[in-house]
Amino acid sequence: MSKEFEMIVGAERDYIMDPGFSINGFRPIGPTVDAILNRFTKRMRFAWRGQVENDPSFLQFIPYCLVTQGDRVFLMRRLENGEESRLHNKHSIGVGGHMNPIVQVSPIKLIEENMFRELNEEIIISFPQPDRKFPFEIIGLLFSDKTPVDMVHLGVIYRIDLPMGATVRIREKDQLKGKFVSFNEAATAPNLETWSKICLDEYLIN
């Protein structure tokens, strides 16, 4: 299906990001984040991606998950075989993407389920104990007004901090390469995505 006709999830920018709840950069869990997520649950709607991709009045909510293991983070490089040409050869510490509608789930569960879908599409996480569950949590929100692309997306930032012994492998080997590196090594990676840089500078390293 063409991305233009992909159904995605978001909310009106003026309602979500009024002056009392503005954000630029990473904002950790707290009253502001709680208020924005609460507003999202009240005004979430579906939209055709082709109609809102360049519309700053509509914020597309993006689950964006950091996979860490102690003082290391999983760093990926997006190869030229990937669908999104704007991301070719960029480095990223976030697994994420647009949300697709899921019927009969709460808005927060919708974000969570889409986060897991993106994880399962890009990477494989294995635990020493087969029945071990992902230790995931929402750690904050991220917004940047640096580029027209940034202006229409708001990141819901998750973190999965894996225990020692757990492993991560790339599923989409034709589109990605990845490995665990130190936070500082990730911060110096060439062509680092804006959101990844913000997460490193304002959360992992700060």
Side-chain angles (χ1 to χ4, degrees), residues 13 18-19 28 31 36 39 61 66 80 88 94 102 108 124 143 145 158-159 168 184 191:
R13 176 193 176 97
D18 75 6
I36 290 175
R39 288 178 170 220
F61 275 58
L66 316 180
E80 294 184 0
H88 287 173
I102 303 174
I108 297 302
I124 302 168
F143 178 75
D145 59 4
Y158 284 84
R159 181 176 182 178
V168 180
N184 287 327
N191 297 319

Short mmCIF file of all heavy atoms in Angstrom, two decimals, residues 13 18-19 28 31 36 39 61 66 80 88 94 102 108 124 143 145 158-159 168 184 191:
data_model
loop_
_atom_site.label_atom_id
_atom_site.label_comp_id
_atom_site.label_asym_id
_atom_site.label_seq_id
_atom_site.Cartn_x
_atom_site.Cartn_y
_atom_site.Cartn_z
N ARG A 13 -2.61 19.83 16.66
CA ARG A 13 -1.46 20.42 17.34
C ARG A 13 -1.88 21.49 18.36
O ARG A 13 -1.38 21.54 19.48
CB ARG A 13 -0.51 21.03 16.30
CG ARG A 13 0.68 21.77 16.88
CD ARG A 13 1.36 22.58 15.79
NE ARG A 13 2.44 23.37 16.33
CZ ARG A 13 3.72 23.02 16.31
NH1 ARG A 13 4.06 21.86 15.77
NH2 ARG A 13 4.65 23.78 16.83
N ASP A 18 -0.77 23.51 23.38
CA ASP A 18 -1.08 24.91 23.65
C ASP A 18 0.04 25.51 24.52
O ASP A 18 0.92 24.78 25.00
CB ASP A 18 -2.46 25.04 24.28
CG ASP A 18 -2.50 24.64 25.75
OD1 ASP A 18 -1.43 24.36 26.33
OD2 ASP A 18 -3.59 24.60 26.31
N PRO A 19 0.07 26.84 24.70
CA PRO A 19 1.20 27.46 25.42
C PRO A 19 1.47 26.87 26.80
O PRO A 19 2.60 26.88 27.28
CB PRO A 19 0.78 28.93 25.51
CG PRO A 19 -0.09 29.14 24.31
CD PRO A 19 -0.85 27.85 24.14
N PRO A 28 10.87 14.62 30.27
CA PRO A 28 10.66 13.36 30.98
C PRO A 28 9.26 13.26 31.57
O PRO A 28 8.54 14.26 31.68
CB PRO A 28 11.73 13.40 32.07
CG PRO A 28 11.97 14.85 32.30
CD PRO A 28 11.80 15.51 30.95
N PRO A 31 4.19 16.10 35.13
CA PRO A 31 2.89 16.73 34.88
C PRO A 31 2.65 17.14 33.42
O PRO A 31 1.55 16.96 32.90
CB PRO A 31 2.91 17.95 35.81
CG PRO A 31 3.85 17.56 36.91
CD PRO A 31 4.90 16.73 36.26
N ILE A 36 -0.24 16.09 28.31
CA ILE A 36 -0.27 15.91 26.86
C ILE A 36 -0.85 14.55 26.49
O ILE A 36 -1.68 14.44 25.58
CB ILE A 36 1.14 16.10 26.26
CG1 ILE A 36 1.56 17.57 26.36
CG2 ILE A 36 1.18 15.64 24.80
CD1 ILE A 36 2.97 17.85 25.91
N ARG A 39 -4.53 14.60 26.98
CA ARG A 39 -5.20 15.31 25.88
C ARG A 39 -5.25 14.44 24.63
O ARG A 39 -6.24 14.46 23.89
CB ARG A 39 -4.47 16.62 25.58
CG ARG A 39 -4.68 17.68 26.65
CD ARG A 39 -3.91 18.95 26.36
NE ARG A 39 -4.35 19.99 27.31
CZ ARG A 39 -4.53 21.25 26.97
NH1 ARG A 39 -4.32 21.65 25.74
NH2 ARG A 39 -4.93 22.13 27.87
N PHE A 61 1.65 11.13 16.12
CA PHE A 61 2.30 10.53 17.28
C PHE A 61 3.12 9.32 16.85
O PHE A 61 2.63 8.44 16.13
CB PHE A 61 1.26 10.12 18.32
CG PHE A 61 0.87 11.24 19.25
CD1 PHE A 61 0.34 12.42 18.75
CD2 PHE A 61 1.03 11.11 20.61
CE1 PHE A 61 -0.03 13.46 19.60
CE2 PHE A 61 0.67 12.14 21.47
CZ PHE A 61 0.15 13.31 20.97
N LEU A 66 14.01 3.16 22.82
CA LEU A 66 15.44 3.02 23.03
C LEU A 66 15.68 1.66 23.68
O LEU A 66 15.05 1.33 24.70
CB LEU A 66 15.97 4.12 23.95
CG LEU A 66 15.48 5.55 23.69
CD1 LEU A 66 16.12 6.48 24.72
CD2 LEU A 66 15.80 5.98 22.28
N GLU A 80 20.78 1.72 2.43
CA GLU A 80 20.14 2.35 1.27
C GLU A 80 19.00 1.52 0.69
O GLU A 80 18.30 1.98 -0.20
CB GLU A 80 21.18 2.65 0.20
CG GLU A 80 22.19 3.71 0.64
CD GLU A 80 23.17 4.08 -0.46
OE1 GLU A 80 23.05 3.52 -1.56
OE2 GLU A 80 24.04 4.94 -0.21
N HIS A 88 18.39 7.17 4.69
CA HIS A 88 19.50 6.35 4.23
C HIS A 88 20.82 6.78 4.87
O HIS A 88 21.15 7.97 4.91
CB HIS A 88 19.61 6.42 2.70
CG HIS A 88 18.52 5.66 2.00
ND1 HIS A 88 18.35 5.70 0.64
CD2 HIS A 88 17.55 4.83 2.47
CE1 HIS A 88 17.32 4.95 0.30
NE2 HIS A 88 16.82 4.41 1.40
N GLY A 94 16.78 4.75 18.07
CA GLY A 94 15.35 4.59 18.31
C GLY A 94 14.69 3.68 17.30
O GLY A 94 14.89 3.83 16.10
N ILE A 102 -5.78 0.43 15.57
CA ILE A 102 -6.14 -0.87 16.14
C ILE A 102 -7.49 -0.68 16.81
O ILE A 102 -7.66 0.22 17.63
CB ILE A 102 -5.10 -1.37 17.17
CG1 ILE A 102 -3.71 -1.44 16.55
CG2 ILE A 102 -5.50 -2.73 17.73
CD1 ILE A 102 -2.61 -1.78 17.55
N ILE A 108 -3.58 4.77 24.93
CA ILE A 108 -2.25 4.44 25.43
C ILE A 108 -1.86 3.03 25.01
O ILE A 108 -0.71 2.77 24.62
CB ILE A 108 -2.20 4.59 26.96
CG1 ILE A 108 -2.46 6.04 27.35
CG2 ILE A 108 -0.86 4.13 27.50
CD1 ILE A 108 -1.48 7.03 26.76
N ILE A 124 15.12 -8.48 16.83
CA ILE A 124 14.73 -9.69 17.56
C ILE A 124 15.44 -9.64 18.91
O ILE A 124 16.67 -9.59 18.98
CB ILE A 124 15.14 -10.97 16.82
CG1 ILE A 124 14.50 -11.01 15.42
CG2 ILE A 124 14.75 -12.21 17.63
CD1 ILE A 124 15.07 -12.10 14.53
N PHE A 143 9.84 16.50 21.08
CA PHE A 143 9.39 17.30 19.94
C PHE A 143 10.54 18.21 19.52
O PHE A 143 11.29 18.71 20.35
CB PHE A 143 8.17 18.14 20.32
CG PHE A 143 7.70 19.03 19.20
CD1 PHE A 143 7.01 18.51 18.13
CD2 PHE A 143 7.97 20.39 19.22
CE1 PHE A 143 6.59 19.33 17.09
CE2 PHE A 143 7.55 21.22 18.19
CZ PHE A 143 6.86 20.68 17.11
N ASP A 145 11.43 21.40 16.52
CA ASP A 145 10.94 22.25 15.44
C ASP A 145 12.05 22.62 14.46
O ASP A 145 11.97 23.62 13.76
CB ASP A 145 10.30 23.52 16.01
CG ASP A 145 11.27 24.34 16.86
OD1 ASP A 145 12.46 23.97 16.94
OD2 ASP A 145 10.84 25.36 17.43
N TYR A 158 9.89 5.41 24.57
CA TYR A 158 9.93 4.24 25.44
C TYR A 158 11.39 3.84 25.67
O TYR A 158 12.28 4.16 24.87
CB TYR A 158 9.22 3.06 24.79
CG TYR A 158 7.71 3.13 24.82
CD1 TYR A 158 7.01 3.83 23.85
CD2 TYR A 158 6.98 2.45 25.79
CE1 TYR A 158 5.63 3.88 23.85
CE2 TYR A 158 5.59 2.49 25.80
CZ TYR A 158 4.92 3.20 24.82
OH TYR A 158 3.56 3.24 24.83
N ARG A 159 11.61 3.10 26.74
CA ARG A 159 12.92 2.50 26.97
C ARG A 159 12.74 1.04 27.38
O ARG A 159 11.89 0.73 28.22
CB ARG A 159 13.70 3.23 28.06
CG ARG A 159 15.10 2.64 28.32
CD ARG A 159 15.87 3.45 29.34
NE ARG A 159 17.21 2.92 29.54
CZ ARG A 159 18.12 3.46 30.35
NH1 ARG A 159 17.82 4.56 31.02
NH2 ARG A 159 19.32 2.92 30.48
N VAL A 168 20.25 -8.90 21.14
CA VAL A 168 19.45 -8.20 20.13
C VAL A 168 20.06 -8.47 18.76
O VAL A 168 21.27 -8.34 18.58
CB VAL A 168 19.41 -6.68 20.39
CG1 VAL A 168 18.57 -5.99 19.31
CG2 VAL A 168 18.85 -6.39 21.77
N ASN A 184 28.31 7.35 24.85
CA ASN A 184 29.18 8.36 24.24
C ASN A 184 29.56 7.99 22.81
O ASN A 184 29.65 8.87 21.94
CB ASN A 184 30.44 8.55 25.09
CG ASN A 184 30.17 9.30 26.38
OD1 ASN A 184 29.30 10.17 26.42
ND2 ASN A 184 30.90 8.97 27.43
N ASN A 191 25.99 11.19 10.99
CA ASN A 191 24.62 11.25 10.48
C ASN A 191 23.60 10.73 11.49
O ASN A 191 22.70 9.95 11.15
CB ASN A 191 24.49 10.48 9.16
CG ASN A 191 25.34 11.05 8.06
OD1 ASN A 191 25.43 12.26 7.90
ND2 ASN A 191 25.98 10.18 7.29
#
